Amino acid sequence: MSESAVADAALSYAGVSVGYRGTPVLTGVDVIVAAGQRLALVGPNGAGKSTLIKSMLGLVPVLDGTATVLGGAPARARPGCGYVAQTDSLDGGFPVTAAQVVMMGRYRRIGWWRPTRAADRRAVRDALDYVGLADRAGTHFGALSGGQRQRVLLARAVAAEPRLLLLDEPFNGVDAVSQDAIVRVLHELSAAGTAVVLSTHDLGLARDFAHLVSLLNGRQWALGPPGEVLTAQALRRAYGGHAVDVGDGRTVLVEP
Ligand SMILES: Nc1ncnc2c1ncn2[C@@H]1O[C@H](COP(=O)(O)OP(=O)(O)OP(=O)(O)O)[C@@H](O)[C@H]1O
């Protein structure tokens, strides 16, 4: 890929290692995600998926290689990124409504000390509408179901109008209807130019969802279109002896 394509990419990693306290947990990550592309990160427990996503926000250091996010260093790209964490620190007992949670996504744009404007309130309404929860705007966040909360957190990320959306296992505890609703939103966002990076254990979902799949386990074992990466041979190498969710509610054990 040309230098200008790399500069224009939402995400460009070349020979990247990431880890904690100077010790890598994931090495050899090479990936370029263009605007509007959808990348799925797959691999067994402890493969390094969450760590890689956190590195894209500058929350975990890049120990080796070159990482460029939205044209600059990862930490500097944070205002242009939306992030839905695997376990959100937002306390369900904290007295906020769904709309107030989504408004949090706007504060990075407007500054938390400034009053919200009509455009912000409209963006919040639109984002809740987008995830099919317009009628729950005034509902206490803690009174929503797990799947509805997940959709509110997605709406919070959407309200920030990110150029790069990062989702760490967004379908945990989410029913099939909510999952379909989220997938539909992600397709619409990427069609409008947002780059999407998603980690998942569901290989069927990765196959159907992604333009590109990165197969991880301590290092990047493969990168490419789903049909090229999600092969029995590649999975056997990367997963050796682990249970693999192949989608459609089926889990298989990949022998070493
Ligand atoms: N804060 C931390 N400090 C030190 N090591 C960590 C920390 N967080 C994660 N690790 C280690 O990094 C490795 C990768 O963990 P990570 O959470 O990125 O994997 P994952 O692919 O997201 O796993 P899962 O599918 O179980 O969520 C694991 O060995 C884990 O123990």
Side-chain angles (χ1 to χ4, degrees), residues 18-21 23-26 41-54 60 86 168-169 172 199-201 216-218:
V18 292
Y20 303 90
R21 290 175 289 280
T23 305
V25 297
L26 180 63
L41 307 177
V42 302
N45 289 136
K49 303 180 294 296
S50 298
T51 303
L52 185 59
I53 288 179
K54 286 177 187 161
V60 168
Q86 193 173 7
D168 197 353
E169 294 185 34
N172 273 354
S199 74
T200 181
H201 284 285
L216 305 170
N217 191 10

